[in-house]
Amino acid sequence: MATSVDVSRELASLTDPRRAEASSRFLQMVPGGYGEGDRALGVSVPDQREVAARFWRDLSLAETTKLLTGGAHEERLTALFILVRKFAKGDEQDRGRIFGTLLANTDRINNWDLVDSSAPYIVGPWLIDRDRGVLDRLAESSLVWERRIAIMATFAFIKAGDFEWTFRLADRLLHDPHDLVRKAVGWMLREVGNRDRAAEEEFLARRYRVMPRVMLRYAIEKFEPQRRRDYLSGVLQAPPVGWGSSG
């Protein structure tokens, strides 16, 4: 059986100092940045996915957890890629353990790419037919990554045509102080609109004037230019006849 050390050695063989420097800046691993204190190896995401594809079957959940809880940023992201594969292929018991592992280690899922590579593919799918109360708890967390996990998990519900929890958490996080949560909320509202424009606009109509600007911009990114201008200027007209799946 493979170990977390084997994966770390494989990743170490793929490092690029220039990529590491660029990743450190991009993911704000600099003093004062949201990723401060983290360390980048400089391994590309495609290379990490390839490593995950080679190791996911032979790396136990315990060893994958070791990879997730220690080491550099790419080691944790590769661990999450492995967990997503294990979750997709696992039985009910396996999936429950992986879900539990993820929630027990949210302090190590400590950048937006780590959240976005795991929450919509593990947390959301596990909760589709289960009590979703844990998302309320995560949305109330003082940890920005847990709040982003909460809203990003609803992507799985959105894909199933269920928007209730996206709207519920968007309301809860409407005035979140962190830009990364605001962007995630706007993104999920946009995904709702991609499937049901009328539902998204009904939600926005009562809130767009008080939403953080970045959240609104993300939410209306796919709207027609004039419609975007109406929202951004605070002047809304009735939606055009015939648009939207329920309009």
Side-chain angles (χ1 to χ4, degrees):
M1 292 292 288
T3 69
S4 60
V5 173
D6 295 327
V7 180
S8 294
R9 286 174 179 163
E10 186 69 18
L11 291 171
S13 73
L14 299 167
T15 58
D16 178 342
R18 288 178 298 180
R19 185 183 296 277
E21 184 179 352
S23 294
S24 294
R25 292 194 303 270
F26 182 61
L27 297 170
Q28 295 198 24
M29 301 177 190
V30 295
Y34 51 71
E36 181 177 4
D38 205 352
R39 176 172 62 92
L41 294 174
V43 183
S44 71
V45 170
D47 282 345
Q48 291 176 67
R49 290 189 182 277
E50 185 177 331
V51 170
R54 292 205 307 270
F55 278 94
W56 75 270
R57 289 183 180 85
D58 295 330
L59 200 69
S60 68
L61 180 57
E63 287 296 315
T64 308
T65 304
K66 286 182 183 179
L67 192 65
L68 176 63
T69 55
H73 185 90
E74 289 91 338
E75 290 174 315
R76 299 197 305 284
L77 184 53
T78 301
L80 292 169
F81 289 152
I82 290 171
L83 289 176
V84 167
R85 282 179 171 265
K86 286 181 175 294
F87 185 89
K89 301 295 185 180
D91 59 23
E92 196 77 354
Q93 187 176 53
D94 292 334
R95 287 158 65 92
R97 287 173 177 166
I98 292 165
F99 171 80
T101 295
L102 205 72
L103 289 193
N105 293 286
T106 52
D107 61 321
R108 304 304 292 153
I109 306 172
N110 57 351
N111 214 309
W112 59 264
D113 60 329
L114 302 176
V115 172
D116 299 357
S117 296
S118 56
Y121 309 107
I122 294 175
V123 180
W126 178 255
L127 295 175
I128 279 182
D129 298 319
R130 293 178 173 83
D131 180 4
R132 301 174 184 178
V134 65
L135 297 182
D136 283 326
R137 178 180 66 78
L138 291 170
E140 292 294 326
S141 173
S142 61
L143 188 65
V144 60
W145 311 118
E146 291 194 339
R147 302 198 304 276
R148 185 160 173 128
I149 286 170
I151 189 65
M152 289 302 301
T154 71
F155 203 174
F157 312 154
I158 293 169
K159 290 176 181 177
D162 178 358
F163 312 139
E164 177 186 356
W165 275 78
T166 302
F167 292 149
R168 174 187 178 123
L169 296 180
D171 262 336
R172 179 158 291 182
L173 298 169
L174 197 66
H175 301 293
D176 194 277
H178 205 291
D179 199 50
L180 290 176
V181 175
R182 294 176 176 186
K183 289 177 178 178
V185 171
W187 177 10
M188 290 303 99
L189 291 174
R190 184 177 74 225
E191 291 297 335
V192 170
N194 287 344
R195 293 156 178 82
D196 189 335
R197 174 78 172 268
E200 183 192 6
E201 291 224 47
E202 181 180 355
F203 180 87
L204 290 176
R206 299 190 300 275
R207 299 164 178 84
Y208 78 99
R209 288 189 176 90
V210 298
M211 292 174 74
R213 202 68 164 178
V214 69
M215 186 185 295
L216 179 60
R217 286 188 180 277
Y218 268 64
I220 64 175
E221 184 179 10
K222 298 294 181 67
F223 288 10
E224 303 80 8
Q226 183 58 55
R227 193 69 174 162
R228 289 200 304 272
R229 287 192 289 271
D230 289 345
Y231 271 100
L232 293 171
S233 65
V235 181
L236 271 181
Q237 302 297 326
V241 175
W243 66 262
S245 61
S246 61

